[in-house]
Amino acid sequence: MSDESRPSPAQPPFAPAATPVATPVAAVIPAAGRGVRLGPGAPKALRALNGTPMLIHAVRALAASRHVSLVIVVAPPDGSAEVKSLLDAHALPGGTPGGGRGSTDFVVVPGGESRQESVRLGLAALPPEYGVVLVHDAARPLVPVDTVDAVIEAVRDGAPAVVPALPLADTVKEVEPATEPGAPEPVVATPERARLRAVQTPQGFDRATLLRAHETVTDDVTDDAGMVEKLGLPVVTVPGHEEAFKVTRPLDLVLAEAVLARRRLNDGF
Ligand code: C5P
């Protein structure tokens, strides 16, 4: 990028107030992954944390925001009925599955082979009135509501794409990946750690931007904001939270249950 085209630090790198302030917010929760790295068992999102499925924690975390009025859950391809009955069986803030009676409605759609496809299938169920869309991994069940609200606020302030992000504790090396698991890998580069961020979800988008990204970008990406970057549009970060970590490996389940136990002690959650 030339110096002329670099946004000045004093100005946000996006057109202000592109999205009307009161536009309703919907959340898409992809929950169709198998969770192979967690070991054998049910699809990851349906595994229990302190007796409650991870997906239910994630849905509650998003519905806890007073701005979120629709949650679209993308279920495992053969698991829509099971997910619907789980939503029916658990108390959820602001509404009831099937929708209409509270301030948050819930919809369940079957997912696809890749995360990208699952999100696309969720977006296909998005009614036209929702101008702001969050995409949140079911595998991040403990994201605090303040993080959700910070993402929404930044989108409502005019950013087309917003990601919660944290600085890294570890130094990161770029390697030439080995073909055999466990074989030594040549280090290619060491990016400057101070410029790196680990990104989380929910990622928040202006609706038109996210739909365009999913219609046009076909490259394999691991997050939705990456698709918006490929369109050449600006993506900004807001502070993430250590409790928004992704449950990926067995040790993460232990950590997640410890966080829930601490919350229960601290505020009777
Ligand atoms: O595999 P990974 O941990 O990156 O998955 C992130 C999220 O995407 C999880 O919540 C998972 O359930 C979801 N996913 C999905 N459909 C897939 C693969 C992953 O909804 N085919």
Side-chain angles (χ1 to χ4, degrees), residues 29-35 37 44-45 74-75 77 111-119 136-140 222 246-248:
I29 302 190
R34 305 303 312 174
R37 288 169 290 182
K44 176 160 70 177
V74 187
E113 280 303 305
S114 66
R115 181 186 183 282
Q116 229 166 331
E117 194 188 341
S118 293
V119 173
H136 180 63
D137 291 334
R140 297 182 189 273
T222 48
K246 183 156 75 169
V247 176
T248 306

Side-chain angles (χ1 to χ4, degrees), residues 1-24:
M1 193 191 278
S2 72
D3 280 340
E4 288 77 24
S5 61
R6 207 182 288 279
S8 104
Q11 291 169 339
F14 43 77
T19 308
V21 169
T23 187

